[in-house]
Amino acid sequence: MPLNRRTFLESSVAVGAGAALTTGAVAAPAQAHGRHPKPVKRYSFTVMGTTDLHGNVFNWDYFTDKEFDDKAHNDVGLAKISTLVEQVRAAKGRGNTLLIDAGDTIQGTQLSYYYAKVDPITQTGGPVHPMAQAMNAIGYDAAALGNHEFNYGIPVLRKFEEQCDFPLLGANALDAKTLRPAFPPYSMHRLRTPQGRDVRVAILGLTNPGIAIWDKANVTGKMVFPGLEEQAAKWVPKLRSMGADVVVVSAHSGSSGTSSYGDQLPHIENAAGLVAEQVPGIDAILVGHAHTEIPEYRVRNKETGRDVVLSEPLKWGQRLTLFDFDLVWEKGRWTVEKVAAQVLNSNTVEEDPKITGLLADEHKKVVAYVNQVIGTSTAVMATADAPWKDEPIIDLINQVQAETVRAALAGGEYAALPVLSQASCFSRTAAIPAGQVTIRDAAGLYPFENTLEARLLTGAQLKDYLEYSARYYVQTPAGAPVDTAKLTNASGIPDYNYDAVYGLTYEIDIARPAGSRIVNLAFEGKPVDPAARFVLAVNNYRASGGGAFPHVAGAPQLWADSDEIRNTIIQWVKAKGTVDPAGFASVGWKLTRDGTPVF
């Protein structure tokens, strides 16, 4: 269980003091003949870990322009993590700790976007990336590559790598031509002990094979990404033969053994648990990618029968994982006797002024940037009800996407086909105010770095697509009360994996079982012909198989853009000057039960 600050400090100080006092020996009872056996040599150390930081340094939400907060009152950012890290180091001794990360570092906030696109680190004499500055100042020892590291292209990633004082690891990120590692596969660290022989700790970095699909525009022909299990099986024995006493894997891959992209991925997306089970010689795995909190999870290795300890700290710097290792000197080498894991909550501490002061100027620049006025709106639009109602604010996204695709296809072979568009409610707190509209207002509708594509689908395929999307609703019989707090996210489906399709009209009968809910599907007032062809404006996440929606990943690609949809929305608002829902809002879909609207 997570510890509060006081409990953590008391327990850590006790552990640290105990380690310092007892590393020399644990006395055994004297033998009958009076000779004293040699004391048992022991050593303890801690590996701290973060993951999915996604550009968060400050406890700040650039989309709302205020301090970050959520229902659980979590805090975010490396400034908070820095305080926790310094507490751990003070308690255990800095020389008895390592600090690593499991990837997705340079994408996710307007702070990270600004230094990739607005004032890019790649320009001559350009700035140092805020994440590099913060992580260098905190003293990271290594970080694995995440899939989002590739979103801005390899040049940005390479510049970030150059700016870091620690290695970016990716044993399964290979050069496409030579099939040799494109990044360091591992790093080796020596911890000094009072016993004379150092402890060698190897950190093996593994990234997500989905990069080959999700960022194919940036990596095709340049890098390939084989499976995690395959590369771990190759490297772990090498690390052991090189003298590693302890092997820790930092894996940008969830623990579940599943993929959210169906059969689009050639390798398992969330493979950390499989690595632990199948590859002998691993002591612990820092898990990333899935954005879930796993304080401690043990997986029995099939070959050795030993437990491998996994831990995943919550995203954005909300948690810090601690792996506590107890070693014993046996037969001339250090052996891992015990491993335990826990997570610390960053909302128990204040931000480290060293970090906030270091990046105060960068923060101010980005706050000023996101508050630039780009237009006006005639009405308030919000996403609060968008998960269960067709709201104008989602229509705005779809209108921008549909207009952009129509313009791109104009004069070509597919110009006469009707253009539809899909969009999700990414945030239930996004809003466009009446009056002045800023960059942060528009960008808040689309917090992800997705780009836009056009795919060719049939009417029958669109029906399947909508049926799949409608699984999102909990089956609710006609006449039963409807509680919106319990209506959505059936089977854990996140909001971003529910799509509304703009340009069609349809009903979703939530009294029916999933798979048979789409009723009265029509285009321009007529039932959709299963054989009719439509162009779907779709984000690259969905088009590459994200959410495993049917048909779209295999559908012909008619066009693709390299700019983020978020920027397209911002430019659209700038060009229009005034956003008026009367020009695009409509009720294209609604929830029903036996033909009666739910709302």
Side-chain angles (χ1 to χ4, degrees):
M1 294 294 290
L3 302 177
N4 63 39
R5 183 181 180 186
R6 181 177 177 184
T7 305
F8 161 66
L9 287 173
E10 290 174 350
S11 63
S12 296
V13 170
V15 170
L21 292 172
T22 63
T23 42
V26 175
Q31 301 300 314
H33 46 65
R35 295 181 62 187
H36 293 277
K38 290 184 178 181
V40 178
K41 297 178 180 180
R42 298 185 183 278
Y43 176 68
S44 298
F45 72 96
T46 296
V47 175
M48 298 175 280
T50 54
T51 190
D52 296 280
L53 293 168
H54 283 288
N56 285 281
V57 174
F58 297 84
N59 187 40
W60 193 260
D61 186 338
Y62 292 97
F63 293 129
T64 61
D65 200 26
K66 60 185 180 182
E67 186 174 296
F68 177 88
D69 195 24
D70 62 13
K71 291 180 180 179
H73 301 298
N74 289 302
D75 289 344
V76 300
L78 277 169
K80 292 265 184 172
I81 289 296
S82 182
T83 302
L84 288 175
V85 166
E86 289 308 312
Q87 289 180 354
V88 175
R89 286 171 174 164
K92 298 177 181 292
R94 173 145 190 168
N96 300 320
T97 65
L98 294 171
L99 175 60
I100 64 175
D101 183 79
D104 276 6
T105 304
I106 60 171
Q107 173 278 335
T109 63
Q110 287 293 286
L111 180 70
S112 54
Y113 176 81
Y114 186 89
Y115 288 98
K117 289 298 187 76
V118 181
D119 186 13
I121 60 174
T122 48
Q123 62 187 317
T124 303
V128 177
H129 199 289
M131 295 301 286
Q133 291 191 57
M135 295 173 82
N136 289 343
I138 295 169
Y140 273 77
D141 294 289
L145 293 164
N147 54 284
H148 284 288
E149 259 66 84
F150 294 84
N151 286 174
Y152 296 121
I154 292 174
V156 170
L157 173 55
R158 287 300 191 191
K159 189 63 178 180
F160 175 70
E161 179 186 29
E162 177 187 315
Q163 294 176 341
C164 290
D165 294 340
F166 51 91
L168 300 183
L169 308 177
N172 61 327
L174 309 181
D175 181 276
K177 294 178 181 177
T178 66
L179 297 183
R180 295 176 63 84
F183 295 85
Y186 66 90
S187 58
M188 191 76 78
H189 307 266
R190 286 178 176 266
L191 300 179
R192 301 251 173 169
T193 77
Q195 319 303 343
R197 185 181 186 271
D198 297 345
V199 171
R200 294 184 179 185
V201 182
I203 309 297
L204 178 66
L206 297 169
T207 192
N208 205 288
I211 296 166
I213 292 175
W214 309 327
D215 269 301
K216 63 182 178 182
N218 292 326
V219 301
T220 298
K222 299 172 183 176
M223 294 185 194
V224 294
F225 303 87
L228 283 82
E229 309 100 302
E230 168 193 329
Q231 292 301 301
K234 173 183 176 180
W235 284 101
V236 171
K238 289 185 178 182
L239 296 173
R240 290 293 184 182
S241 69
M242 292 165 60
D245 302 297
V246 179
V247 174
V248 177
V249 173
S250 184
H252 192 74
S253 180
S255 63
S256 64
T258 62
S259 289
S260 59
Y261 288 72
D263 59 4
Q264 294 300 309
L265 288 185
H267 305 284
I268 298 294
E269 177 184 0
N270 297 304
L274 296 175
V275 171
E277 181 184 77
Q278 297 175 13
V279 181
I282 298 169
D283 297 297
I285 301 180
L286 178 66
V287 178
H289 184 62
H291 289 202
T292 57
E293 181 176 347
I294 305 174
E296 182 183 273
Y297 173 48
R298 293 178 177 269
V299 175
R300 184 67 54 87
N301 183 268
K302 285 185 175 181
E303 184 171 325
T304 66
R306 293 175 60 91
D307 280 354
V308 181
V309 177
L310 285 69
S311 180
E312 181 175 6
L314 201 57
K315 64 186 185 297
W316 305 347
Q318 295 178 34
R319 303 289 186 274
L320 176 71
T321 278
L322 302 188
F323 290 106
D324 292 310
F325 292 86
D326 293 332
L327 276 60
V328 61
W329 182 265
E330 292 180 337
K331 299 178 181 178
R333 64 186 297 269
W334 288 110
T335 301
V336 175
E337 187 175 53
K338 179 184 176 184
V339 186
Q342 60 176 310
V343 295
L344 307 181
N345 194 328
S346 66
N347 71 9
T348 62
V349 298
E350 298 299 319
E351 291 183 311
D352 186 344
K354 176 183 70 175
I355 303 303
T356 55
L358 177 68
L359 292 164
D361 289 344
E362 287 84 348
H363 177 64
K364 289 176 183 176
K365 282 183 183 179
V366 175
V367 168
Y369 164 74
V370 299
N371 281 292
Q372 291 180 49
V373 175
I374 56 173
T376 60
S377 176
T378 63
V380 175
M381 293 180 283
T383 57
D385 293 338
W388 49 85
K389 291 182 182 178
D390 188 349
E391 290 287 290
I393 197 166
I394 304 299
D395 291 340
L396 171 60
I397 298 172
N398 277 318
Q399 176 70 16
V400 172
Q401 293 182 163
E403 281 190 19
T404 302
V405 167
R406 282 193 200 99
L409 299 180
E413 178 184 355
Y414 303 98
L417 292 180
V419 176
L420 313 176
S421 177
Q422 63 78 223
S424 303
C425 176
F426 294 120
S427 166
R428 297 193 184 193
T429 59
I432 298 291
Q436 292 186 334
V437 178
T438 63
I439 284 178
R440 67 178 174 84
D441 296 325
L445 299 183
Y446 225 105
F448 299 105
E449 316 294 328
N450 297 147
T451 57
L452 188 61
E453 297 190 15
R455 296 285 177 127
L456 185 65
L457 294 173
T458 66
Q461 290 174 328
L462 283 165
K463 173 75 159 39
D464 290 345
Y465 188 102
L466 290 169
E467 287 287 8
Y468 184 86
S469 184
R471 303 173 311 133
Y472 171 75
Y473 295 105
V474 174
Q475 187 172 3
T476 309
V482 175
D483 180 357
T484 55
K486 300 176 181 178
L487 178 63
T488 62
N489 308 103
S491 302
I493 297 170
D495 291 347
Y496 62 76
N497 273 340
Y498 169 66
D499 285 359
V501 173
Y502 183 74
L504 301 173
T505 56
Y506 57 96
E507 298 171 14
I508 302 172
D509 191 332
I510 60 173
R512 296 186 179 188
S516 59
R517 291 178 170 174
I518 302 302
V519 181
N520 298 326
L521 178 62
F523 174 70
E524 294 183 342
K526 298 179 181 179
V528 169
D529 179 353
R533 298 194 304 167
F534 296 86
V535 176
L536 181 65
V538 58
N539 68 50
N540 68 309
Y541 170 78
R542 189 70 77 234
S544 63
F549 276 60
H551 307 304
V552 66
Q557 182 192 76
L558 309 184
W559 172 81
D561 197 6
S562 61
D563 203 7
E564 292 89 355
I565 292 170
R566 175 169 61 214
N567 275 347
T568 305
I569 296 171
I570 291 169
Q571 296 306 317
W572 187 91
V573 174
K574 282 184 177 180
K576 296 289 183 182
T578 299
V579 178
D580 184 357
F584 54 80
S586 64
V587 180
W589 63 273
K590 57 188 173 183
L591 302 186
T592 60
R593 290 183 295 185
D594 294 341
T596 302
V598 176
F599 302 105

